[in-house]
Amino acid sequence: MTQPPPPPNQPPQQPGFGPPQDPSQQQPAQSSQQPGQPPQSPQQQQQQPSAPAGGPDLNKAPEPGYGYPQAPQPSAPPAAPQGPGYGYPQQQQQPAAGYGYPGQAQPGPYGQPQQPGAYGQPQQPGAYGQPQQPGAYGQPGYGQPGYGYPQPATMPMQPQPGGGGKKFNSQIAIIVSAVVAIALIVGGGVWYASSSGKDDDSKNTAGGDGKNKTNGGGGGENGSGSGSSGAQEKAPADTGSKVLFQVPAPKTPKDVTSISTAGSWLTDTVYAKSGIAEVVGYDRAKGTKKWTIDLPGPVCEGSGRTTEDNKTAIIFKPDMPTKGDPQSCTQVAVIDLETGKEVWTKTAQSGTMPISFNNVTVSGGTVAAGSTSGGAAWDVATGKQLWAPKTSDSCYDSGYAGGAKLVAVRKCGEYEARQLHIQNIDPKTGKVITEYKMDEGIEYAAVVSTDPLVVAADVGDSAGDGSGISDFFSVDNKTGKLRTRISAPGEDFAARCDAIYKIEKCSGLAVGNDRLYIATEEHDGSGESYGQTNEIVAFDLATGKQTGQRADAGDDYEIYPLRMDGNNVLAYKRPPYDKGGQIVSIDGGTFKQTTLMENPATENVRDVEARMSPDYAEILFSKGGLYMSSVYASDFSAGTDRKEYLVIAFGTS
């Protein structure tokens, strides 16, 4: 079907920024939810559909046809964007017919009635693929028309100060996506630093040894540490934070509308961030530059993993993109975050063609990068190539997830009969240790955690919200067998994954204590509040059942898991329009919340913080420091008075 022309005053789609732009490689962008507005009047509020106060109704009766196109729901129309959504990634066009094009419903277990269960309750262990009973919350009818079809691109709405705001109706999102080709991102700005101690407005400006750690966290999967709880983050005497520094959004090259600035990292002394064709290391307390790594082209992607000696991997372009030559992401490099040195840079080929990589990770002293042309790997210390695609391969490694284990997502078959192999592999040889084969027809999968192994997928294109998740699969790393499957309908849960290209790029969830911690969708608050709120709930990865643990965001706040801190869950609370955001630690046993940080409530600080959406911005917290950064820069703000920032950093005393 043809697409409507773009709306007035929208810039044309720039080819080639990020993944290849041919129809077989287009990335359906994720839909976004609109952050909250100031409180509405009761009359306005009554015009919007609402969930029961205090959270989704766990006893809600099944709704027929979940996964089918839904009739439009009565709701207030989405607010028109007031300006570019700073911090949002570039959106891409809807794939042309042929890319995962919907075929006939697949035979087999999908489409069978579901096992009873409330609020995304999974089928019981051993029942996967067996006939199931009807489930609550309108469980997905797998195998519906459109099975395996990728999510359409949608327009991220402009973040407004404060939390709240309901998700788009899925039909509205699809309509909007047809006319929007580029994310609304802004550039420009001024850098402020409070390092002098004289700035009375400091609160008012906005190698591997085989061991790896989560970026911004401790050693082990998801930042788990040692000791009884392993928690490293402690509440300070004064949880009120101040702005440590801000970095202005860089200017894009001439004739280039937007450009990637993906990648940010934390060490004990350095906060490192990708700019345009560079990675800069800042003093994590003062914001002064400690070092700069100059690159010939922009960074396409950075690994969220680092080695114990603070080395990480990036993918970048060999030259600056232009209107006529967008360049491909062919260069893989290891950089030292302490010294600011480029350790080595390599490329790989598929046949005679250089590979344009989509994702990169680090595990066990190995750097592994995946693509639609297959995957390759190198030794972190020496740069020696460990493997590359073979021309005789009938399957290919689309991506890798690292950390405690190295897991490959290997694709076999055509789009109407695609099968994904989730492989636990030896990081030194690429040899498959164990393997779990997903059912045919599932086009994409993201790896949420490698140990324990948890995979997210949008089965039958049933999520309906662009999140990329309808189900989680808990897999035994030692045997490759499915432990349990957890249904997570998009209407109930707010996590999202870029399973198409990034593989381990997920937000709104964390894994630890053999549990999956996931944010619920926002819903109406309680009492006299007219704002939105949500919760974090936990699922047992052995049984697939909810544990009964629940951490409430509180009226007008939205809560998002960031990572594990030992047995505790670190979470960011997106604030209402008149307050600053918070970092909280949630006890893994009692689910008691402890506030670690609360940001300034002054208007100009809130304005910058509000534009760092947890769904798209990179948010790192460690040792009393919170660092929020954008993954794109653009020239859309040229000629405006608004200052835009690449980074804003907060710290407690």
Side-chain angles (χ1 to χ4, degrees):
M1 110 183 158
T2 60
Q3 299 187 23
N9 303 319
Q10 293 296 319
Q13 171 73 33
Q14 293 293 325
F17 297 109
Q21 298 292 312
D22 64 78
S24 69
Q25 295 177 332
Q26 287 286 351
Q27 177 182 1
Q30 308 294 348
S31 68
S32 68
Q33 58 192 18
Q34 182 181 1
Q37 306 290 340
Q40 297 174 308
S41 69
Q43 181 178 0
Q44 290 173 315
Q45 189 68 19
Q46 290 172 0
Q47 295 175 356
Q48 300 181 5
S50 62
D57 183 0
L58 305 188
N59 298 313
K60 182 178 177 183
E63 297 175 2
Y66 183 79
Y68 281 94
Q70 301 294 315
Q73 300 297 319
S75 65
Q82 302 302 314
Y86 180 69
Y88 281 73
Q90 175 183 0
Q91 302 299 301
Q92 302 186 13
Q93 296 175 348
Q94 185 174 350
Y99 182 71
Y101 194 78
Q104 299 300 317
Q106 302 295 322
Y110 298 118
Q112 300 295 332
Q114 296 273 322
Q115 179 78 14
Y119 194 19
Q121 192 75 353
Q123 63 182 45
Q124 299 305 313
Y128 182 56
Q130 301 300 322
Q132 303 156 30
Q133 300 303 315
Y137 265 75
Q139 295 284 2
Y142 303 116
Q144 306 299 344
Y147 185 85
Y149 190 75
Q151 293 292 331
T154 55
M155 180 181 77
M157 294 301 292
Q158 168 74 6
Q160 299 294 334
K166 291 189 173 75
K167 268 193 179 180
F168 279 155
N169 173 285
S170 60
Q171 293 187 357
I172 293 175
I174 293 172
I175 294 171
V176 172
S177 71
V179 296
V180 177
I182 298 180
L184 304 177
I185 313 163
V186 289
V190 178
W191 177 43
Y192 296 92
S194 58
S195 59
S196 66
K198 298 180 181 180
D199 184 2
D200 58 4
D201 199 32
S202 63
K203 282 198 173 187
N204 301 321
T205 62
D209 52 11
K211 298 179 180 180
N212 309 113
K213 56 185 178 181
T214 301
N215 187 19
E221 182 67 13
N222 291 312
S224 59
S226 59
S228 57
S229 71
Q232 299 176 4
E233 307 296 342
K234 308 297 181 183
D238 181 3
T239 58
S241 72
K242 67 177 182 179
V243 175
L244 298 177
F245 62 91
Q246 297 174 171
V247 179
K251 294 182 179 180
T252 58
K254 185 179 179 181
D255 297 328
V256 175
T257 302
S258 63
I259 201 163
S260 170
T261 57
S264 58
W265 303 268
L266 269 177
T267 74
D268 289 341
T269 59
V270 173
Y271 170 71
K273 174 62 186 171
S274 296
I276 294 181
E278 65 179 9
V279 179
V280 179
Y282 302 91
D283 183 290
R284 59 176 289 167
K286 300 177 181 179
T288 52
K289 288 186 179 181
K290 300 187 68 158
W291 51 257
T292 300
I293 299 174
D294 293 316
L295 301 168
V299 175
C300 306
E301 187 66 22
S303 173
R305 310 286 185 177
T306 60
T307 64
E308 285 291 315
D309 57 350
N310 293 314
K311 293 183 176 66
T312 192
I314 59 173
I315 306 168
F316 64 94
K317 296 184 177 184
D319 206 346
M320 291 301 295
T322 63
K323 186 180 295 185
D325 187 0
Q327 297 291 319
S328 297
C329 303
T330 57
Q331 313 294 301
V332 178
V334 164
I335 60 175
D336 189 319
L337 298 171
E338 286 294 345
T339 65
K341 302 296 184 183
E342 186 176 333
V343 180
W344 53 255
T345 297
K346 301 291 181 180
T347 60
Q349 291 186 326
S350 177
T352 59
M353 298 297 293
I355 296 174
S356 181
F357 292 103
N358 299 323
N359 56 78
V360 66
T361 195
V362 177
S363 177
T366 294
V367 172
S371 75
T372 55
S373 300
W378 301 264
D379 181 78
V380 168
T382 66
K384 177 184 177 182
Q385 189 169 81
L386 303 177
W387 67 81
K390 299 180 177 64
T391 55
S392 60
D393 286 347
S394 58
C395 303
Y396 66 92
D397 289 356
S398 63
Y400 301 94
K405 305 284 186 181
L406 183 59
V407 173
V409 177
R410 190 164 179 82
K411 289 193 173 187
C412 299
E414 301 298 328
Y415 69 86
E416 289 184 321
R418 180 84 71 196
Q419 187 170 49
L420 303 182
H421 299 195
I422 310 301
Q423 300 175 332
N424 177 17
I425 62 177
D426 185 323
K428 294 300 183 185
T429 65
K431 179 181 178 181
V432 177
I433 300 171
T434 58
E435 179 178 75
Y436 170 67
K437 295 181 180 179
M438 304 190 78
D439 279 11
E440 283 190 4
I442 300 175
E443 285 286 325
Y444 310 105
V447 180
V448 177
S449 167
T450 60
D451 189 21
L453 180 53
V454 181
V455 178
D458 187 357
V459 180
D461 193 28
S462 59
D465 62 350
S467 65
I469 305 171
S470 68
D471 295 81
F472 292 95
F473 298 80
S474 174
V475 179
D476 190 319
N477 247 326
K478 295 180 180 179
T479 65
K481 294 181 178 180
L482 183 72
R483 299 173 69 195
T484 190
R485 176 180 166 201
I486 300 169
S487 178
E491 65 179 2
D492 296 335
F493 297 99
R496 59 195 306 117
C497 291
D498 181 359
I500 298 174
Y501 290 117
K502 306 304 182 185
I503 303 300
E504 60 178 346
K505 187 74 72 176
C506 296
S507 62
L509 46 72
V511 172
N513 306 322
D514 208 32
R515 291 185 173 98
L516 168 67
Y517 301 98
I518 182 170
T520 67
E521 266 298 355
E522 58 187 348
H523 54 81
D524 291 341
S526 59
E528 298 179 356
S529 172
Y530 296 109
Q532 299 283 292
T533 189
N534 75 326
E535 303 80 33
I536 293 175
V537 296
F539 285 90
D540 189 304
L541 292 175
T543 66
K545 296 180 179 180
Q546 284 198 51
T547 64
Q549 296 166 307
R550 167 173 158 163
D552 295 321
D555 284 345
D556 302 330
Y557 285 88
E558 297 170 53
I559 191 168
Y560 298 82
L562 295 178
R563 64 174 176 87
M564 299 301 296
D565 176 33
N567 294 337
N568 298 342
V569 182
L570 291 181
Y572 172 71
K573 284 189 176 182
R574 188 171 175 85
Y577 72 97
D578 58 348
K579 295 181 180 179
Q582 297 178 358
I583 295 292
V584 297
S585 177
I586 304 169
D587 187 280
T590 65
F591 250 45
K592 177 184 177 181
Q593 297 184 44
T594 300
T595 300
L596 303 181
M597 173 182 285
E598 183 164 9
N599 293 334
T602 49
E603 183 177 358
N604 47 354
V605 175
R606 295 197 321 263
D607 182 66
V608 178
E609 182 179 3
R611 298 181 191 284
M612 300 294 183
S613 164
D615 284 331
Y616 296 105
E618 294 170 341
I619 301 179
L620 301 177
F621 178 84
S622 174
K623 298 181 179 179
L626 172 63
Y627 303 82
M628 309 176 77
S629 65
S630 173
V631 295
Y632 272 83
S634 98
D635 64 357
F636 292 166
S637 66
T640 67
D641 295 331
R642 191 171 69 189
K643 299 174 182 177
E644 303 297 344
Y645 298 92
L646 177 68
V647 176
I648 183 169
F650 300 92
T652 54
S653 299

